Amino acid sequence: MDNHELNKNIGLVPALSIVVGMVIGGGVFFKPTAIFTATGAPGLGIIAWIIAGIITIAGGLTAAELGAAIPKTGGAIAYLDEAYGDIWGFLFGWAQTVIYFPGTMAALAIIFATQVVTLLGLDNNLIVPIGIISVVFLTILNIIGGSKAGTALQTIATAGKLIPLFLIIVVGFIKGDGGVARLFPITAPDHPVATGLGSALIACMFAYNGWINVGNIAGEMKNPGKDLPKAIIGGLSLVMAVYILINVAYLFVLPASKLAATASPAADVATIIFGSNGGKLISIGILVSIFGCLNGNILTGARIPYALATENKLPFSGWFAELHKKTGAPVNATIFLSLLGIGYIFTGKFDQLTDLTIFVMWLFYVMTFVAVFILRKNQPDLHRPYKVPLYPIIPIIAILGGLYIIINTSITEPLNAGLGLIFTLIGIPIYTLRKSKSKQLEKRACA
């Protein structure tokens, strides 16, 4: 095997588990606090979950066309390169490398460690060390075990995380004494509907986020043209159903005001319906869910700097492109992202990290959805094993939903939006310098 060539050993089930495992992480267990705080009413909170699900599925249906037609490692980087030119693919990859993946890893590590501390009754000062240990452990696993070990853990964790979710849903509906009445009122007089819904959508989109990252491993899939769309669409449909049902179950057990006031809504609901011991078992299931999501981000995230490095677009590209001799894992790219994520853990700011990553990523997601129109016009003969249904309606829904998220975040979270843009734009001089250096090397080679 070439030292810079990834193995093609990922099938449909592991790809599906990556979609479900990366989407269902900490958001569904912890974000109800932010969602019901923003909306002030249960009805609008459930509406936010539904709208976010529709936007996500529309985005998944749209991006799947690109993923099937351009099955390259790096996912959306390749789509943006093809539609707009390589600077846009680079900037997306850069933003994922320095903001999205390490920021998401840090956020997941923080909530994983927080849950461990709460479950075991440990000192809060241990949150940061436990978070770091979780990242280090999974980093070593993904390097030594390669994509086979990473996807195997992902499949097990995905199965494990669905158990507590389904138990909370079923028992919550049966034992919850609030009933349908807890789903009302739809709005609250002291919470503006537009801004409240917008802020809730940002929180929901973090819970739904991660599905597009399965495209990062397309270069390692056995049959990406056939399996990638199935993994994205099937996974997101399951996730949306679970999210809506579990939030209704939450409300059957606790009113929206109490869900807004607790830092661990899922654990509180589990304790009420299962008792203290049962609640602890569910909390362990939640830990498995977050752990699996963290693993998925480490597994897929490393493929981004690796993909940029194989095209010589990063400083020290040769170093970033190195693969483990036995497992074929992008060893240095994995270590780099994990170190950056550990640095972000020290901020301890879960919500700010998630809001910042969502804003930046949706800028590029919207460009990805628009790319379907561009490539259909510019490359009509491109082989497309899968085409987005109800074209152009589905892509337009994805685009409009994405624009709403971007505009609303700019208004409600200007600091996070600004920080995200600054981090992204830092990539421009790096791209320019690398481009200039590559041209100089080409001239010398020709001479």
Side-chain angles (χ1 to χ4, degrees):
M1 184 187 74
D2 188 289
N3 200 35
H4 298 315
E5 185 180 345
L6 294 166
N7 293 318
K8 293 182 179 293
N9 54 20
I10 298 176
L12 174 60
V13 173
L16 184 64
S17 72
I18 288 171
V19 174
V20 176
M22 289 192 67
V23 175
I24 301 179
V28 68
F29 301 113
F30 294 90
K31 281 297 184 180
T33 300
I35 290 162
F36 292 114
T37 298
T39 60
L44 194 60
I46 295 297
I47 289 170
W49 281 108
I50 294 170
I51 292 174
I54 292 170
I55 293 170
T56 302
I57 289 178
L61 290 167
T62 304
E65 176 173 319
L66 298 173
I70 312 170
K72 296 180 180 179
T73 298
I77 292 176
Y79 319 153
L80 295 173
D81 279 351
E82 200 76 27
Y84 303 101
D86 63 356
I87 186 171
W88 293 104
F90 171 81
L91 286 176
F92 181 54
W94 171 259
Q96 285 185 301
T97 299
V98 300
I99 302 172
Y100 175 71
F101 278 109
T104 302
M105 286 160 55
L108 290 168
I110 289 168
I111 58 177
F112 174 80
T114 301
Q115 189 75 2
V116 170
V117 165
T118 301
L119 181 65
L120 300 180
L122 303 176
D123 192 292
N124 284 340
N125 291 327
L126 293 174
I127 289 176
V128 169
I130 292 172
I132 292 171
I133 290 170
S134 65
V135 172
V136 171
F137 173 80
L138 288 172
T139 299
I140 294 171
L141 174 72
N142 276 279
I143 290 172
I144 295 177
S147 60
K148 278 190 175 181
T151 53
L153 175 60
Q154 198 64 31
T155 302
I156 294 168
T158 298
K161 74 176 58 182
L162 291 175
I163 294 171
L165 286 167
F166 286 135
L167 285 173
I168 291 174
I169 290 169
V170 173
V171 182
F173 276 109
I174 295 171
K175 295 185 69 173
D177 59 1
V180 177
R182 285 261 178 83
L183 304 181
F184 297 93
I186 300 297
T187 61
D190 56 341
H191 285 69
V193 174
T195 55
L197 179 61
S199 297
L201 274 176
I202 300 301
C204 288
M205 293 315 297
F206 174 76
Y208 277 108
N209 206 35
W211 57 269
I212 202 169
N213 298 321
V214 73
N216 298 353
I217 59 166
E220 297 166 82
M221 293 182 70
K222 297 174 185 176
N223 191 354
K226 180 181 177 182
D227 291 344
L228 187 61
K230 289 181 180 178
I232 292 174
I233 297 162
L236 288 179
S237 299
L238 174 61
V239 168
M240 182 179 178
V242 169
Y243 278 7
I244 293 169
L245 288 172
I246 198 167
N247 275 275
V248 172
Y250 287 160
L251 289 166
F252 270 42
V253 178
L254 285 174
S257 58
K258 289 191 176 180
L259 290 172
T262 176
S264 52
D268 289 358
V269 168
T271 300
I272 290 171
I273 60 178
F274 296 110
S276 59
N277 290 330
K280 286 181 180 179
L281 288 174
I282 296 299
S283 294
I284 292 171
I286 294 171
L287 281 173
V288 171
S289 174
I290 300 165
F291 196 67
C293 191
L294 177 58
N295 174 70
N297 277 274
I298 293 172
L299 170 67
T300 62
R303 273 65 184 169
I304 296 300
Y306 164 82
L308 293 175
T310 55
E311 296 180 0
N312 202 31
K313 291 180 178 178
L314 286 178
F316 311 108
S317 285
W319 184 82
F320 277 108
E322 284 295 321
L323 301 178
H324 193 280
K325 291 180 180 179
K326 291 184 178 179
T327 63
V331 56
N332 295 331
T334 304
I335 292 171
F336 174 80
L337 272 193
S338 296
L339 289 175
L340 204 53
I342 288 170
Y344 288 171
I345 288 174
F346 285 100
T347 67
K349 296 181 178 180
F350 167 52
D351 284 319
Q352 183 175 12
L353 285 169
T354 57
D355 289 348
L356 190 151
T357 60
I358 290 300
F359 174 77
V360 174
M361 287 302 98
W362 272 92
L363 287 171
F364 290 102
Y365 290 173
V366 169
M367 290 183 68
T368 301
F369 305 148
V370 173
V372 172
F373 292 91
I374 294 172
L375 292 178
R376 283 210 181 187
K377 180 181 178 181
N378 295 344
Q379 299 185 33
D381 297 328
L382 178 68
H383 177 58
R384 294 174 171 85
Y386 159 88
K387 289 186 177 182
V388 57
L390 299 177
Y391 179 87
I393 296 172
I394 296 295
I396 288 172
I397 292 172
I399 292 166
L400 292 177
L403 289 174
Y404 179 80
I405 292 167
I406 293 166
I407 293 168
N408 190 271
T409 309
S410 301
I411 295 169
T412 60
E413 301 284 347
L415 175 61
N416 291 333
L419 286 172
L421 282 175
I422 290 169
F423 274 115
T424 303
L425 294 176
I426 288 172
I428 293 177
I430 292 174
Y431 171 85
T432 304
L433 288 171
R434 295 300 299 173
K435 196 78 171 177
S436 176
K437 188 173 181 179
S438 294
K439 286 181 179 179
Q440 289 175 5
L441 290 173
E442 285 176 10
K443 287 180 180 179
R444 289 175 186 173
C446 291

